[in-house]
Amino acid sequence: MDFSEDFVGWPEPRTVFPIAGVDLRVLPGDHPFYSANREAIAENWVSETAANLHLFDGRMIFQKRLALTSEGLAGEGYMIPFSTFMYWRRQPERQGGIHLFAYPVIESSDGALVAIRMGAHTANPGQVYFAAGSLEPEDTFDGRCDLEHNMRREVLEETGFDLRDAQAGEGYFATYHRRTVTVLKMFRFDLTADEIVERIHAHMLVADDKEIAGAVAIRSADPEAYSYNFAMLPVIDWYFHKSSLT
């Protein structure tokens, strides 16, 4: 696999395109970005936790190399402390690594999308995006990331919905911007958007994980409708443009 230059030959940033599959290896040892920036990462974490006492320095998977071929996305990454990612994302050029995460795109029976709003104590307070999270150790099996497991786990924890009850779309899509790669898969539930939102709000009352502050129904590609995470904008534009053509 040729990892010589990141994103060479890829479609334009902030566009959504189909991919044939995903194969992400997790390598032993420390990510080079972490090894080279330990002191700065520790200093930044002091500032991050001073501003938000609820942050937790768990472990996540961070890509070192990523390639797009006719067989899909192939990557090599390492386990890193979350504090490493928080430092990396503050860098203007974001060199040294690539953040890849999976978006389970929840579609309702009446043609809307349903997303969640993050709580004030999280790393993305107030932002609206699909129930999702970084790849974590429990999403890794036999040295490879399992995106389907990650999506099911995150959606169940945050919304109470089991993706196995939805009609899954065929194949994956991807989009990227500022060295962040989002892998998408569609999941359609036989419920209206209002019904899905209502059930998520009911789940919030009993959930162990209190990360979200609510759920929203997205009915247009208007980028100003909510306080969207930047990764959401190409997805909603793609979905509602695609829907208008069918």
Side-chain angles (χ1 to χ4, degrees), residues 14-224:
R14 291 180 286 187
T15 61
V16 175
F17 52 91
I19 55 175
V22 184
D23 182 20
L24 304 176
R25 296 176 58 211
V26 182
L27 304 179
D30 290 332
H31 195 293
F33 183 83
Y34 170 70
S35 298
N37 296 280
R38 288 176 188 262
E39 292 186 7
I41 290 166
E43 290 176 4
N44 181 70
W45 188 244
V46 171
S47 300
E48 298 280 3
T49 53
N52 186 345
L53 296 175
H54 299 279
L55 293 178
F56 172 66
D57 200 13
R59 295 183 68 77
M60 58 176 281
I61 299 159
F62 189 51
Q63 306 301 313
K64 170 59 179 172
R65 292 174 285 269
L66 198 62
L68 177 63
T69 73
S70 60
E71 297 179 354
L73 286 174
E76 293 180 347
Y78 297 82
M79 295 286 183
I80 62 167
F82 181 65
S83 53
T84 305
F85 168 70
M86 293 292 282
Y87 173 73
W88 172 84
R89 76 175 189 172
R90 288 188 176 277
Q91 306 313 302
E93 300 301 324
R94 292 187 168 182
Q95 294 299 314
I98 300 168
H99 182 218
L100 181 147
F101 67 98
Y103 254 174
V105 181
I106 305 301
E107 182 182 19
S108 68
S109 61
D110 54 346
L113 302 178
V114 177
I116 51 96
R117 179 181 288 108
M118 297 305 293
H121 60 288
T122 65
N124 297 310
Q127 291 188 14
V128 170
Y129 51 90
F130 299 115
S134 296
L135 293 162
E136 297 181 1
E138 55 262 52
D139 303 317
T140 303
F141 302 91
D142 298 324
R144 280 179 160 77
C145 298
D146 186 336
L147 266 66
E148 298 276 344
H149 182 272
N150 169 265
M151 289 188 285
R152 288 196 304 270
R153 178 178 61 79
E154 291 286 350
V155 170
L156 188 62
E157 289 175 359
E158 296 182 359
T159 73
F161 278 90
D162 190 332
L163 290 180
R164 288 172 291 195
D165 295 332
Q167 179 182 350
E170 292 188 7
Y172 291 104
F173 297 84
T175 182
Y176 70 103
H177 177 56
R178 294 194 65 206
R179 301 184 67 81
T180 295
V181 177
T182 311
V183 177
L184 321 172
K185 188 164 185 176
M186 302 295 301
F187 293 91
R188 183 182 178 90
F189 283 92
D190 191 21
L191 296 167
T192 67
D194 289 343
E195 289 170 333
I196 295 173
V197 168
E198 183 178 357
R199 284 181 51 174
I200 293 174
H201 286 167
H203 173 74
M204 290 170 56
L205 300 176
V206 298
D208 294 330
D209 188 336
K210 304 295 185 182
E211 287 194 345
I212 74 171
V216 301
I218 302 171
R219 302 186 187 278
S220 77
D222 178 6
E224 305 297 328

